[in-house]
Amino acid sequence: MAHSALFSPIRVRNLELANRIVIAPMCQYSAENGLMNDWHHIHLGQLAMSGAALLTIEASAVLPEGRITWGDVGLYDDATEAAMASTLESVRRWSDAGIGVQLSHAGRKASTELPWAGGHQIAPDHEHGWQTVAPSAIPFTHGTHAPVALDREGMIRIRDAFATAATRAARIGLDFVQIHAAHGYLLHQFLSPLSNQRTDEYGGSLENRMRFPLEVFDAVRAAFPADRNVTVRVSATDWVDGGWDIEQTVAFAKALEARGCDAIHVSTGGLHEAQKIAVGPSYQVPHARAVKQAVSIPVVAVGLITSPEQAEAIVATGDADMVAIARAVLYNPRWPWHAAAELGATVRPPKQYLRSQPSKHRHLFGVNGPVGATPTWVRDEDGAYR
Ligand SMILES: Cc1cc2nc3c(=O)[nH]c(=O)nc-3n(C[C@H](O)[C@H](O)[C@H](O)COP(=O)(O)O)c2cc1C
């Protein structure tokens, strides 16, 4: 059996993972008043059977006004918690994947239309719109309705909402929470000098700009059980001169590590409309590598990682400890199985799918047949079942 770095186990705090594949958070814009519904059962159900060790539930707002769109999932009251618990209960019944949720507040990028309806900002006086908030009253795109600059009271409310959402996530049995500090949403807005022009102790120097995101981290870490993972997703650069960059990201990652963060997930961009990104395979991996060289906690790389060899190389060469896959796993929800087949590794399928093992990959479900399976489900050399 070939040795695969991608399919080697890793332990993150108390979480034992069989491979290094994470399904990245992906908004579905299909919730009703923040409530998950049968779409989320179907969507997360299929992804939980993908073979990836970890599944990240989409950006889930910690307050209603923190939603990107009016179709975003929330985790901000008893009803949204119950809806997520119900989805999780059915997914958990059939999958042992590690599952976590990305906790988010969209700040000035909130109150937008669903992407397939144009994705434009909705003004507060229009249906489905509301007043947005941000570190400073600077709109995301020129000419759109400006956010209101948060005062200290508003910041405390948001910090506490992150902590309460983490408590809800713990109560429904999630294995980890990921704090969304990337893609130009509220915490990234505090980090970047392009969106944070405050003159109080939360703006100006790097230390000041990191202060609120670190306060949120501390509140979430304190609210989530000590034996479970709190991770953070960052944008390592704004791709704009004078913006947030990799040096500041490294400083932020070190500060997070010192406070008990379990992993850093390294993405980029999303803060400024002037961003110029040279997009191509693995284009964000150099940023993950730079963070990995500075911290000892696991680092996750993401962004146009689409082939098994590419993912294998990222882990094998030490660019990152894990890879996250988003669009490729929507396109092919069994992406990790195919990667394991190509790399000579194994996955644990649900027992209902044991008969699907192709004869040319007869070790895919385990050297001596499927893990936990009865021999009757193993396929013969000639492809017949016995
Ligand atoms: C449909 C869709 C929804 C997304 N929603 C989120 C989200 O909720 N939170 C987030 O941090 N990133 C989100 N992203 C970004 C992905 O997590 C990922 O970083 C990005 O797609 C690049 O990875 P990929 O090349 O493997 O798709 C989304 C991407 C897609 C395609």
Side-chain angles (χ1 to χ4, degrees):
M1 177 112 349
H3 174 75
S4 159
L6 188 64
F7 284 89
S8 62
I10 183 171
R11 186 186 170 97
V12 189
R13 205 175 278 257
N14 285 353
L15 210 50
E16 301 276 1
L17 306 175
N19 59 57
R20 311 300 185 93
I21 305 169
V22 187
I23 297 183
M26 280 181 277
C27 283
Q28 298 298 294
Y29 315 104
S30 301
E32 289 143 316
N33 295 318
L35 304 172
M36 282 191 168
N37 55 40
D38 44 356
W39 171 256
H40 304 89
H41 276 64
I42 295 166
H43 166 68
L44 294 170
Q46 62 162 346
L47 295 182
M49 293 188 293
S50 70
L54 281 183
L55 167 58
T56 317
I57 294 174
E58 67 187 89
S60 299
V62 300
L63 287 166
E65 64 272 24
R67 291 173 298 165
I68 306 165
T69 77
W70 52 275
D72 283 21
V73 166
L75 189 54
Y76 46 66
D77 59 14
D78 290 349
T80 52
E81 179 185 334
M84 194 178 285
S86 157
T87 301
L88 197 62
E89 196 184 334
S90 49
V91 173
R92 283 259 196 251
R93 190 164 166 224
W94 303 108
S95 165
D96 60 3
I99 305 177
V101 64
Q102 185 183 52
L103 300 180
S104 175
H105 190 300
R108 69 179 186 175
K109 286 179 77 175
S111 184
T112 62
E113 188 46 274
L114 309 179
W116 47 82
H120 51 270
Q121 191 202 37
I122 307 179
D125 54 344
H126 284 60
E127 195 193 1
H128 297 314
W130 58 88
Q131 176 60 56
T132 61
V133 294
S136 304
I138 307 167
F140 172 51
T141 46
H142 191 70
T144 53
H145 193 86
V148 167
L150 283 160
D151 58 15
R152 188 70 191 119
E153 199 184 318
M155 289 165 65
I156 290 170
R157 180 166 171 266
I158 291 172
R159 180 201 65 195
D160 292 350
F162 268 96
T164 306
T167 304
R168 293 184 186 280
R171 192 155 52 214
I172 65 178
L174 286 163
D175 298 301
F176 70 101
V177 291
Q178 178 180 85
I179 297 172
H180 199 349
H183 300 167
Y185 296 113
L186 184 72
L187 300 182
H188 185 182
Q189 289 160 30
F190 269 91
L191 293 171
S192 175
L194 300 176
S195 45
N196 179 350
Q197 293 177 7
R198 298 176 72 94
T199 52
D200 62 3
E201 70 267 45
Y202 292 94
S205 67
L206 172 61
E207 190 187 356
N208 281 0
R209 282 179 280 118
M210 295 196 311
R211 194 180 309 280
F212 184 61
L214 291 175
E215 283 178 8
V216 168
F217 177 84
D218 288 344
V220 168
R221 182 63 279 178
F224 206 57
D227 60 348
R228 287 192 243 169
N229 288 282
V230 177
T231 72
V232 176
R233 193 174 216 202
V234 295
S235 274
T237 173
D238 291 340
W239 300 105
V240 179
D241 286 345
W244 182 252
D245 57 20
I246 186 63
E247 286 76 28
Q248 296 173 82
T249 302
V250 163
F252 185 48
K254 285 181 172 171
L256 288 168
E257 179 177 29
R259 292 168 127 85
C261 180
D262 292 295
I264 311 271
H265 188 136
V266 183
S267 186
T268 68
L271 184 102
H272 202 280
E273 55 184 340
Q275 66 182 18
K276 295 255 177 321
I277 312 179
V279 177
S282 296
Y283 71 105
Q284 297 178 145
V285 172
H287 296 93
R289 181 172 54 239
V291 174
K292 183 162 165 55
Q293 283 165 358
V295 298
S296 315
I297 51 178
V299 169
V300 183
V302 67
L304 279 180
I305 301 168
T306 54
S307 80
E309 298 78 11
Q310 186 190 1
E312 173 69 17
I314 290 165
V315 178
T317 60
D319 281 343
D321 300 283
M322 305 186 77
V323 293
I325 313 285
R327 288 163 293 182
V329 81
L330 292 186
Y331 182 68
N332 173 7
R334 220 76 76 209
W335 190 95
W337 287 24
H338 295 282
E342 256 182 61
L343 298 170
T346 60
V347 288
R348 285 166 56 101
K351 53 186 178 299
Q352 296 88 340
Y353 289 0
L354 285 171
R355 291 174 67 176
S356 68
Q357 178 173 268
S359 50
K360 71 172 178 175
H361 296 302
R362 62 196 178 86
H363 298 309
L364 182 59
F365 294 164
V367 183
N368 300 312
V371 180
T374 59
T376 49
W377 294 107
V378 182
R379 220 171 181 181
D380 267 333
E381 286 291 307
D382 60 3
Y385 294 104
R386 58 180 164 77

